[in-house]
Amino acid sequence: YDEVGVQYEEWDNDKIKKMVPVADLHEFWPVTRPEDPAFYNEPVKELEGGIFCPEGGYVNDPALSAHNIMRAAEAKGAQFLFNAEVVDIRSENKKVTGITLKDGTQIDAGIVVNVGGPHSFKINKMAEGVWEGCNIKTKALRHEVMYCPSPDDYDYLNDGYHMSDGDIGCYVRPEVGNTFLIGSEDPDCDPQEWVDPDTFYAGKGGHGKDNVLSEEQWKAQCYRLGKRIPSLQVPNQPKGVVDLYDCSDDWIPVYDKSDLPGYYMAIGTSGNQYKNAPVVGHMMAQLIDACEKGMDHDKEPMQYKFKYTDRSTDVGFFSRKREINYNSSFSVNG
């Protein structure tokens, strides 16, 4: 934070208790699940404090934010096709030539970018040599977030903060109706369910249970937050959202070219890089332009200069050919 200029304050427990009066500041580590008898052990130690970022925030309406970016793109001449399924990435002479849709429509393009979200790995498999050329792969992870009403005497929507709490393995943020939105930070004890995105989204039409909260995970996340906020009233009826993350092998995105000239990827971003989208778009545009003009990004990775911070980053960090980065959080934490 010091290096990049992010403002922050270090809060001791007295300050946290003043700002978040409903919090129990005992240490509950290691993260466990309600079915584990250790979950109910009485805590002994207290946390050592926390870090508050006054500039921190969250996207509370991803559909609206995506819509806003769509409108901005349209103003620059972009066109969108909805409910248009891609079935083929066409290429000739080892160069991408366009895509084919399920209804037979062919769209010719010398440059194709995979930003397919949870479907990214399926799209890569359609393109000649792309999947095989990626040392880092992506796949779709089923994820659940829960809603839980704020305690009666606490106005979380107006007085609360978005919190990342590794000690209980959850993050929370305010949601409409004065509720907590509770997500898992993917601690080791939480199972990971990798799914076929086509099957998952087919289930959303009422043909399956993929998009229904699981009682076990609902209980785990709500009960963990109940440790931090003892006055939390967990309802009997689970409420929340189930959807998919597009995860790479180390949860760090792939922003890169591919082994098929003209085919590029901005994938594996889910969970921890959503808000970076506008910057990533600018970075990808520069990467594509440089590669199309002959730069060998694999041998001499592009250095991207950020517009507002006057800093640069090595885009090779996000290479498809990198080894797994074991310094990653392997979670939603960027």
Side-chain angles (χ1 to χ4, degrees):
Y1 283 174
D2 290 336
E3 194 175 333
V4 300
V6 174
Q7 293 184 35
Y8 66 92
E9 302 168 10
E10 292 193 41
W11 286 2
D12 60 19
N13 284 359
D14 288 340
K15 181 63 180 284
I16 296 175
K17 194 69 181 173
K18 180 181 178 182
M19 305 307 290
V20 190
V22 292
D24 178 337
L25 298 179
H26 279 98
E27 185 179 300
F28 300 105
W29 183 264
V31 183
T32 53
R33 296 176 63 81
E35 54 265 34
D36 183 344
F39 185 87
Y40 304 95
N41 291 347
E42 286 294 326
V44 178
K45 296 191 293 182
E46 286 206 337
L47 297 171
E48 297 178 6
I51 295 175
F52 170 63
C53 295
E55 297 174 311
Y58 52 88
V59 177
N60 71 334
D61 191 335
L64 178 60
S65 63
H67 177 84
N68 289 343
I69 292 175
M70 180 187 81
R71 292 297 186 221
E74 286 177 334
K76 295 290 185 180
Q79 295 179 318
F80 290 81
L81 284 175
F82 294 102
N83 300 310
E85 182 180 340
V86 177
V87 294
D88 188 28
I89 309 292
R90 291 181 286 111
S91 59
E92 290 180 12
N93 301 319
K94 303 294 183 180
K95 176 81 169 68
V96 74
T97 57
I99 64 173
T100 302
L101 304 182
K102 190 175 183 178
D103 66 2
T105 301
Q106 292 195 343
I107 300 174
D108 296 329
I111 294 171
V112 172
V113 186
N114 179 359
V115 200
H119 285 84
S120 65
F121 72 98
K122 292 201 162 192
I123 295 170
N124 274 352
K125 288 179 178 180
M126 296 178 192
E128 182 182 359
V130 168
W131 173 261
E132 297 80 3
C134 292
N135 189 52
I136 297 292
K137 304 287 202 290
T138 58
K139 49 188 176 180
L141 177 66
R142 183 182 181 278
H143 233 257
E144 306 185 20
V145 296
M146 289 64 181
Y147 300 131
C148 213
S150 183
D152 293 337
D153 57 350
Y154 185 53
D155 187 355
Y156 184 52
L157 185 63
N158 293 300
D159 300 336
Y161 303 92
H162 161 242
M163 294 185 289
S164 174
D165 192 339
D167 185 62
I168 59 169
C170 289
Y171 65 88
V172 295
R173 66 165 175 80
E175 188 53 275
V176 292
N178 197 24
T179 59
F180 283 84
L181 181 146
I182 313 164
S184 169
E185 292 192 347
D186 298 276
D188 291 341
C189 62
D190 278 4
Q192 292 185 331
E193 187 180 351
W194 305 99
V195 301
D196 180 336
D198 289 327
T199 304
F200 177 87
Y201 288 113
K204 283 202 165 185
H207 306 299
K209 295 183 178 180
D210 286 343
N211 65 323
V212 178
L213 290 172
S214 63
E215 187 164 343
E216 296 80 10
Q217 194 60 27
W218 165 76
K219 188 175 180 181
Q221 289 171 212
C222 290
Y223 279 28
R224 280 188 206 138
L225 183 61
K227 285 187 168 191
R228 181 68 65 221
I229 303 172
S231 57
L232 191 73
Q233 299 177 43
V234 179
N236 291 324
Q237 188 66 35
K239 289 185 178 180
V241 177
V242 185
D243 219 298
L244 300 182
Y245 281 172
D246 178 30
C247 296
S248 77
D249 293 330
D250 57 10
W251 288 65
I252 294 170
V254 174
Y255 302 135
D256 202 0
K257 66 172 190 174
S258 73
D259 286 11
L260 178 63
Y263 183 92
Y264 296 84
M265 298 170 286
I267 60 177
T269 60
S270 291
N272 70 34
Q273 297 232 355
Y274 182 87
K275 289 191 294 182
N276 292 354
V279 178
V280 171
H282 191 250
M283 183 177 77
M284 288 297 298
Q286 290 195 10
L287 174 67
I288 292 167
D289 189 53
C291 290
E292 293 300 308
K293 290 176 178 174
M295 183 190 76
D296 190 337
H297 179 58
D298 286 338
K299 289 186 178 178
E300 295 185 21
M302 188 185 87
Q303 306 301 302
Y304 174 70
K305 187 168 183 178
F306 294 103
K307 184 175 179 180
Y308 298 105
T309 59
D310 197 35
R311 294 171 57 83
S312 296
T313 193
D314 182 349
V315 185
F317 178 82
F318 302 103
S319 170
R320 72 199 184 283
K321 293 185 177 295
R322 68 177 185 263
E323 297 299 318
I324 287 179
N325 186 335
Y326 289 102
N327 289 322
S328 168
S329 72
F330 291 90
S331 77
V332 299
N333 291 317

